[in-house]
Amino acid sequence: MEKIQSIVNEIYEIFKDYNVSKSEIEKRLKLLIFEFKVPEDEAKRTIINGLRRDLNLSREALRFPLTKIADLEPGKGVSVKAKVIQLWEPTSQSIAQWGVIGDETGTARFVIWAKSAKRKVEEGKNYIFERVFVDEFGGIKSIKVTSISEVREIEEDIEVSENWGEIEITGALVSISQNSGLVQVCKICGKVIEAGICKEHGKVEWNEVLRLRGVIDDGERTYDVEMEENCIKELTGLDLRTAKKMAFEHLDRGIVLLELKKKLLGRYLKISGDLKFRTVNVKKAEFFKTKVREEVDKVLEEVKAL
Amino acid sequence: MRTRREVARRVFAKEFNSSRYKLGGNAEKEPVYVLTPLGLKCNRIFIIGALIEKEETKPDSEVLRIRIADPTGSFLGFVGKFDPEAKVSLTEIDIPSTVAVTAKARLLERGGRVIPFIRPETINLSDFESRDYWILETAKATMKRIEMMKGDSELARLAREKYNPNLEEYKEMVVSALMRLKEEVEISEEREESIEESIEEEILDLNDLF
Ligand SMILES: [Zn+2]
């Protein structure tokens, strides 16, 4: 019986992502071994082939096992069921599409090479990426879609994990939204309220907070960013207490937003924080400094080599 | 899903000012893009340069004409009542000043002529350090486009068909922009010294008075 169990587990490992139960495998295996007296090896092969046919999977698909994003290992060939959550503009003509995919276990980057000639994927839709290869750059996993891969849209709506992991960005703060500065937010949902009224919760109790909602743009992509008091203070020296004082002295909260715009709009910032969909919850922010003079010579060399 | 915000592209004035063709704007809500000679498709741009002109187009028109210079040329811009934020900031900024500008890229068509211009959304005071980084960043972005123009992407083909640009000319533009950056680093330091000197002179003059 132990032998039977280990074969069941072996087969289950291959098909576990395709909704095959252990009891079903066990039933088929016992039938073949005990009733039809088929040798164990033959029984195992028969069941694997049978399941493969039932599930409409190619032999190759099994060599590229369906894998959750959290379990992706660099260098391996896999298949991944995921939602496309972000598409980025291709920066090279050898890339047809790239961006971020996610499933309930995490997120990863994906690259569809132009040579693979695949149909375009769309943001917000769900796909199975079959026969793709896993890569890793700077701790971020990515899958590569090549000409041997298959990308098919699927019905299933994949839930995406909330936590996308840390991200670091350098770019210009090109926009600060009007609901930034010294604002009153609903105690229940944290959204900005107007005249004591929350759009969702009606007349509510509120907190007064200092915050910033804006857009960082690196010339190739944009990121919505959310900054709270600590980061704002780090950058501008302004904290909630001084903001309140300013607003009180000017009899206008708008003065705080103006001050943030004056000090931060158009500035290059280096930020890090948690990425969630398009939004970065900023944990650390600083003005970006670089040694331009040192870099100029390097770039000059590159231009001349063009 | 809300519409995607347009990325603010980095482009030098010389490349932008050579643009003559538009893309998009066919379907409702489809954004209009300016197609530059190096195949950049831009709806929004981000510039850090010198504000060198700020004038009312006509008396009482409430529309200001501005110019923002980078090492390759200058961007012509118009700021009207539809861009209140940019207009308010402009009133507080003197000429010349280093400014950071996020703007919509547009083409003006008048009597058979096509003039590229910008409509600033935000204008803020900036500094030499950020400006230098912008030049570096824009040089890199331009280089990428020169490289792209040698390939066969849709935009490269379109730009070749419309402009047939001399890539060497743009390479020289990038080189000279970067060279300017090298000299300007030195000049700006000299300038600081001379300002200090003149302040000292003033102090001396004041001392003479007492
Ligand atoms: Zn609420």
Side-chain angles (χ1 to χ4, degrees):
Chain A
M1 274 318 271
E2 247 173 59
K3 182 73 189 165
I4 296 280
Q5 270 317 312
S6 91
I7 297 174
V8 168
N9 287 338
E10 226 177 298
I11 299 174
Y12 177 73
E13 275 305 309
I14 301 174
F15 292 99
K16 64 178 175 192
D17 291 312
Y18 296 94
N19 276 330
V20 176
S21 70
K22 277 191 184 180
S23 64
E24 195 186 333
I25 297 168
E26 195 176 327
K27 212 170 74 190
R28 289 199 199 193
L29 193 65
K30 281 182 174 165
L31 183 81
L32 285 172
I33 291 174
F34 298 128
E35 309 244 334
F36 287 91
K37 308 294 180 198
V38 174
E40 285 165 0
D41 281 2
E42 290 295 324
K44 183 174 140 190
R45 203 176 65 191
T46 307
I47 290 169
I48 291 174
N49 285 339
L51 282 171
R52 202 164 54 73
R53 259 195 318 275
D54 292 354
L55 295 165
N56 208 0
L57 297 169
S58 65
R59 246 172 243 282
E60 277 163 333
L62 288 186
R63 273 197 272 134
F64 294 88
L66 199 56
T67 307
K68 294 288 179 208
I69 285 176
D71 300 328
L72 292 178
E73 282 176 47
K76 288 226 167 128
V78 296
S79 297
V80 179
K81 267 204 248 177
K83 176 177 279 177
V84 172
I85 29 196
Q86 227 177 68
L87 278 175
W88 298 333
E89 199 118 340
T91 48
S92 144
Q93 49 182 328
S94 48
I95 295 172
Q97 283 185 299
W98 68 319
V100 182
I101 53 169
D103 69 10
E104 67 278 13
T105 69
T107 60
R109 296 204 176 157
F110 75 96
V111 179
I112 303 181
W113 295 107
K115 278 194 180 144
S116 72
K118 296 288 172 268
R119 279 186 54 191
K120 298 241 161 170
V121 297
E122 287 173 47
E123 254 177 37
K125 290 195 172 170
N126 304 283
Y127 298 87
I128 178 157
F129 297 84
E130 285 177 314
R131 300 190 294 279
V132 296
F133 292 97
V134 185
D135 235 333
E136 188 171 6
F137 287 108
I140 296 165
K141 297 213 178 91
S142 76
I143 62 161
K144 292 186 291 188
V145 177
T146 67
S147 50
I148 70 147
S149 313
E150 194 79 55
V151 180
R152 283 184 289 126
E153 193 180 342
I154 51 174
E155 289 287 310
E156 190 182 335
D157 187 37
I158 293 164
E159 247 182 72
V160 175
S161 148
E162 287 277 286
N163 184 19
W164 286 33
E166 286 261 315
I167 187 172
E168 195 183 280
I169 307 160
T170 299
L173 186 69
V174 293
S175 167
I176 294 179
S177 92
Q178 285 306 112
N179 56 20
S180 303
L182 184 63
V183 293
Q184 296 170 327
V185 297
C186 167
K187 264 194 179 172
I188 304 166
C189 64
K191 292 202 177 114
V192 172
I193 58 164
E194 268 172 65
I197 308 283
C198 170
K199 268 185 193 149
E200 242 164 86
H201 301 100
K203 202 164 162 52
V204 286
E205 282 189 57
W206 45 266
N207 289 322
E208 194 159 46
V209 298
L210 178 65
R211 64 171 210 180
L212 184 148
R213 300 286 181 268
V215 178
I216 287 193
D217 185 319
D218 66 6
E220 279 173 358
R221 291 192 283 279
T222 67
Y223 298 87
D224 291 339
V225 293
E226 299 184 350
M227 247 182 242
E228 309 307 326
E229 186 191 356
N230 56 339
C231 289
I232 295 173
K233 190 180 174 193
E234 199 67 37
L235 290 170
T236 65
L238 200 67
D239 61 9
L240 182 61
R241 210 173 55 90
T242 36
K244 280 182 178 171
K245 206 172 140 213
M246 267 174 83
F248 179 76
E249 280 166 3
H250 287 81
L251 301 171
D252 180 13
R253 307 166 173 281
I255 190 79
V256 178
L257 176 58
L258 262 173
E259 185 70 12
L260 289 185
K261 285 184 172 175
K262 226 175 233 174
K263 287 191 161 148
L264 296 174
L265 257 184
R267 295 278 155 187
Y268 286 108
L269 300 181
K270 185 171 148 189
I271 60 157
S272 59
D274 293 326
L275 181 68
K276 199 169 135 186
F277 290 88
R278 266 180 198 289
T279 305
V280 184
N281 212 300
V282 183
K283 297 255 178 70
K284 252 186 75 189
E286 57 187 282
F287 289 109
F288 177 65
K289 300 247 185 266
T290 186
K291 298 197 170 84
V292 170
R293 221 194 285 213
E294 278 169 30
E295 252 194 88
V296 170
D297 290 318
K298 211 182 83 198
V299 180
L300 270 171
E301 288 302 306
E302 284 171 33
V303 186
K304 285 171 182 162
L306 268 182
Chain B
M1 195 174 268
R2 74 184 172 85
T3 53
R4 177 99 63 85
R5 182 186 164 93
E6 291 291 337
V7 174
R9 305 294 173 183
R10 317 298 204 246
V11 56
F12 284 126
K14 181 179 154 74
E15 178 185 344
F16 181 73
N17 288 340
S18 304
S19 306
R20 296 291 178 269
Y21 298 94
K22 280 192 282 205
L23 290 175
N26 301 314
E28 200 185 336
K29 281 187 185 161
E30 188 194 356
V32 181
Y33 299 90
V34 172
L35 177 71
T36 74
L38 294 181
L40 173 69
K41 189 181 151 190
C42 58
N43 167 278
R44 175 179 276 134
I45 61 179
F46 176 72
I47 314 162
I48 300 185
L51 179 71
I52 50 169
E53 195 180 305
K54 175 177 86 169
E55 263 170 43
E56 235 176 334
T57 46
K58 279 178 224 146
D60 305 318
S61 68
E62 304 251 323
V63 177
L64 294 172
R65 189 184 59 232
I66 61 166
R67 274 194 185 277
I68 295 157
D70 73 10
T72 71
S74 68
F75 295 89
L76 169 69
F78 294 101
V79 181
K81 54 177 180 283
F82 299 111
D83 315 288
E85 193 174 328
K87 205 167 175 204
V88 171
S89 332
L90 257 186
T91 57
E92 293 172 10
I93 299 176
D94 296 326
I95 291 169
S97 291
T98 304
V99 289
V101 179
T102 306
K104 287 288 187 180
R106 294 282 181 265
L107 292 179
L108 182 71
E109 289 163 66
R110 279 275 162 78
R113 287 220 309 154
V114 181
I115 305 159
F117 72 100
I118 59 167
R119 284 249 327 257
E121 298 167 298
T122 66
I123 301 179
N124 278 80
L125 275 176
S126 188
D127 52 36
F128 292 156
E129 202 186 343
S130 305
R131 190 249 352 246
D132 290 351
Y133 183 68
W134 180 84
I135 294 171
L136 192 68
E137 187 181 54
T138 307
K140 285 188 195 168
T142 311
M143 260 168 59
K144 261 193 196 169
R145 290 197 285 277
I146 294 174
E147 192 66 55
M148 183 201 78
M149 285 300 289
K150 295 176 179 169
D152 214 28
S153 70
E154 203 182 313
L155 283 171
R157 267 197 307 239
L158 202 57
R160 270 202 300 271
E161 181 194 314
K162 300 280 189 197
Y163 299 102
N164 192 27
N166 177 355
L167 296 183
E168 281 306 310
E169 197 184 303
Y170 285 101
K171 246 175 85 172
E172 278 163 28
M173 171 190 80
V174 175
V175 170
S176 76
L178 289 169
M179 296 302 282
R180 284 291 304 277
L181 190 53
K182 285 179 75 162
E183 48 179 76
E184 261 167 344
V185 172
E186 286 147 26
I187 289 169
S188 66
E189 278 167 8
E190 271 171 31
R191 197 183 288 155
E192 265 170 27
E193 279 167 26
S194 63
I195 288 170
E196 265 169 46
E197 268 169 34
S198 63
I199 289 170
E200 262 173 53
E201 275 167 18
E202 276 174 36
I203 292 169
L204 281 176
D205 286 344
L206 287 173
N207 284 341
D208 289 344
L209 287 176
F210 292 103

